[in-house]
Amino acid sequence: MPDLRELPRSLAPLDDESLPGYLLRLSSRLHVPVADAAVRTGLVDRTGATSTVFLPIRLVHRIDDDALDKFARTTRLTAVEAGSLLASPLGDRYGPLNGDLMSRGNPVSLVRNNRWFFGRWTRYCPHCLAGDGSVIQQQLGGPWKRHWRLPTVFACLRHRTLLHNTCPQCGKAALTDATNFLPRAAAEPMHPTLCRAPTGNRYGLTPHSPSCKADLTTAACREIDADTLSTVLALQTRLLDLHNPDGPTAISSVGWQQTVAQYFLDLRAVTWLILLSWPETQRYAPTAALAEAVARTAENARIAAQGQRDRPGKRHPSVAYTDPPIDPLSAAAVFGIAEQLLATDYNATFAIFNPLISQARRTEPTMTHLQKPHHASPPLRLTLNHHRHDLWKKGRARLLRKHPELTPMPPSRPVTTSAGR
Ligand SMILES: [Zn+2]
Ligand SMILES: [Zn+2]
């Protein structure tokens, strides 16, 4: 790698800005392709005879110390500022990104097949992207936020709106690529708020297909009724409080005290259960619009699972149910029900979960994901894996002896109050 020099012009990171978002703004400011900005800041090297630049998605999560040092030096950021662009700190609270819970500290296996962070979707708030009116944001737009990568972030509280997940013009994910963390990396620089999805259908695409270039800040608000919107925003407030580093430290999950990171893994496991057993939990949906959103997601998962069963070779029908809901309204709807199920008192857990599990097993008999240790806390796993009440009660007594650190507790929302945002 050639000697890296400080860039002639740099940028201070914006609040909650992600590495892809920062690179988009840097590319635009320097008038160079994103790939050039990544090479000039030491993130990646040019490889092969064609000098292709590959932007591996693992960099969005973590950068090794040497590369982070080069990046900070060339961009004239402090180490803290450079590190704040990465997603790895979010794993302290978000279980699917937590190295201890997911991969025993192995960052490679954390990234591989981790569709609850590294899946192919793009969420954004058009108003946040339009910027806050400051000179720099008028020029280059607002931040592409790190938190928009989390499936559990589906609304913008500042602008009281659902996030978007498609471009208003082409209907595709605006910032998603099959191999790189940013699409069209070698293309001419583009304003950071424009859609980078390639035009044309998937069979006609080449690395040089033009980008859509629609202005994402013009995306119109999604029409939803007032009750649904206030329900969604209240849920988003509670979930963001759990994502907040200063938020609650522990929370009840099926009546047992858990860390917040573990709670998000339990929320994920219950999401699968809701989709597999739908419409068993329909009564928990507070509005018709939210019930319809779950129904749509469950039906899409059923069709995708059938598609898996019908294809030749190795089949993974259960995967259709284990991807996070991409559509922001569907995500809010499913997580809202999951939150209620996890708030169950531990004495009532068996009665509430048992019918759901029976229905889920009828829907997808190959469903084994829910039994794996890192997919749910021990108390939730106990409930998911015992069909008979007497065996469940015995298992619970064993759990109390084996895990004295797990305290059964009455159903509640956060255990400690937030220190404020
Ligand atoms: Zn916003
Ligand atoms: Zn587009």
Side-chain angles (χ1 to χ4, degrees):
M1 187 178 281
D3 247 9
L4 295 168
R5 294 199 207 122
E6 274 188 13
L7 299 174
R9 280 178 291 178
S10 190
L11 285 168
L14 303 177
D15 183 36
D16 194 31
E17 190 167 32
S18 62
L19 182 70
Y22 185 79
L23 272 185
L24 286 177
R25 291 197 307 128
L26 200 59
S27 141
S28 204
R29 186 169 174 87
L30 298 171
H31 304 293
V32 298
V34 165
D36 284 22
V39 170
R40 287 167 71 170
T41 51
L43 288 177
V44 291
D45 228 342
R46 292 192 183 278
T47 54
T50 54
S51 296
T52 309
V53 171
F54 170 51
L55 302 175
I57 192 146
R58 64 180 163 74
L59 295 181
V60 174
H61 176 242
R62 186 188 293 271
I63 301 174
D64 69 51
D65 290 348
D66 190 37
L68 191 63
D69 183 58
K70 284 178 189 157
F71 180 77
R73 194 158 39 81
T74 50
T75 52
R76 289 180 265 170
L77 301 186
T78 66
V80 171
E81 284 173 328
S84 71
L85 297 166
L86 304 174
S88 56
L90 305 182
D92 291 347
R93 297 192 147 256
Y94 180 63
L97 277 187
N98 185 289
D100 294 336
L101 290 170
M102 291 295 291
S103 63
R104 303 204 171 127
N106 179 347
V108 176
S109 71
L110 182 73
V111 174
R112 197 182 299 137
N113 294 330
N114 187 344
R115 294 146 87 107
W116 276 64
F117 186 80
F118 301 101
R120 292 183 203 167
W121 70 82
T122 302
R123 284 188 189 156
Y124 64 96
C125 166
H127 312 293
C128 285
L129 275 188
D132 63 1
S134 62
V135 174
I136 193 68
Q137 294 198 30
Q138 279 180 31
Q139 287 170 359
L140 300 175
W144 277 95
K145 296 188 175 190
R146 285 183 311 167
H147 278 79
W148 292 343
R149 287 294 315 164
L150 299 172
T152 43
V153 176
F154 40 75
C156 174
L157 297 182
R158 174 173 295 174
H159 297 108
R160 298 187 56 78
T161 182
L162 276 171
L163 298 183
H164 289 249
N165 66 314
T166 54
C167 161
Q169 191 164 299
C170 71
K172 295 178 188 162
L175 219 62
T176 300
D177 184 80
T179 47
N180 295 294
F181 69 70
L182 278 172
R184 336 306 292 159
E188 61 183 31
M190 256 197 292
H191 194 274
T193 62
L194 300 186
C195 172
R196 298 178 77 87
T199 51
N201 67 42
R202 58 189 292 208
Y203 301 107
L205 296 180
T206 73
H208 306 292
S209 300
S211 297
C212 159
K213 293 188 181 173
D215 183 354
L216 300 171
T217 66
T218 62
C221 267
R222 189 160 166 174
E223 294 288 330
I224 51 171
D225 62 274
D227 279 356
T228 299
L229 181 62
S230 68
T231 303
V232 166
L233 294 177
L235 173 66
Q236 186 66 89
T237 303
R238 293 192 296 277
L239 292 176
L240 279 176
D241 205 27
L242 296 180
H243 284 300
N244 181 354
D246 299 321
T249 53
I251 183 166
S252 167
S253 174
V254 290
W256 300 64
Q257 182 168 312
Q258 299 292 348
T259 64
V260 170
Q262 180 63 66
Y263 178 83
F264 277 114
L265 286 177
D266 286 1
L267 195 80
R268 185 178 71 161
V270 171
T271 294
W272 303 341
L273 188 65
I274 292 164
L275 295 180
L276 279 163
S277 64
W278 190 259
E280 284 281 327
T281 51
Q282 191 168 359
R283 65 185 178 281
Y284 292 98
T287 71
L290 290 166
E292 276 165 30
V294 187
R296 224 172 20 247
T297 310
E299 176 62 7
N300 288 342
R302 194 193 61 75
I303 292 167
Q306 191 55 49
Q308 279 279 335
R309 269 189 220 97
D310 292 345
R311 67 180 217 168
K314 209 170 176 188
R315 304 173 184 108
H316 301 283
S318 55
V319 169
Y321 294 95
T322 56
D323 279 349
I326 305 301
D327 168 54
L329 184 64
S330 299
V334 177
F335 295 141
I337 295 174
E339 183 199 46
Q340 292 177 66
L341 290 174
L342 291 179
T344 307
D345 177 278
Y346 81 99
N347 287 314
T349 307
F350 184 86
I352 289 177
F353 276 75
N354 198 250
L356 308 183
I357 293 159
S358 301
Q359 180 58 44
R361 289 193 191 285
R362 279 196 290 277
T363 307
E364 187 48 71
T366 67
M367 191 78 207
T368 54
H369 290 74
L370 297 172
Q371 292 157 15
K372 293 185 179 168
H374 66 276
H375 284 157
S377 62
L380 180 59
R381 226 163 50 236
L382 171 82
T383 298
L384 295 174
N385 290 314
H386 284 79
H387 305 281
R388 278 175 43 192
H389 190 246
D390 55 335
L391 295 180
W392 175 79
K393 268 177 87 174
K394 272 187 197 161
R396 197 182 64 178
R398 244 192 336 267
L399 202 59
L400 271 170
R401 284 197 300 276
K402 197 171 158 195
H403 293 282
E405 79 281 5
L406 291 174
T407 319
M409 58 192 297
S412 69
R413 292 222 166 105
V415 174
T416 54
T417 53
S418 167
R421 301 180 59 74

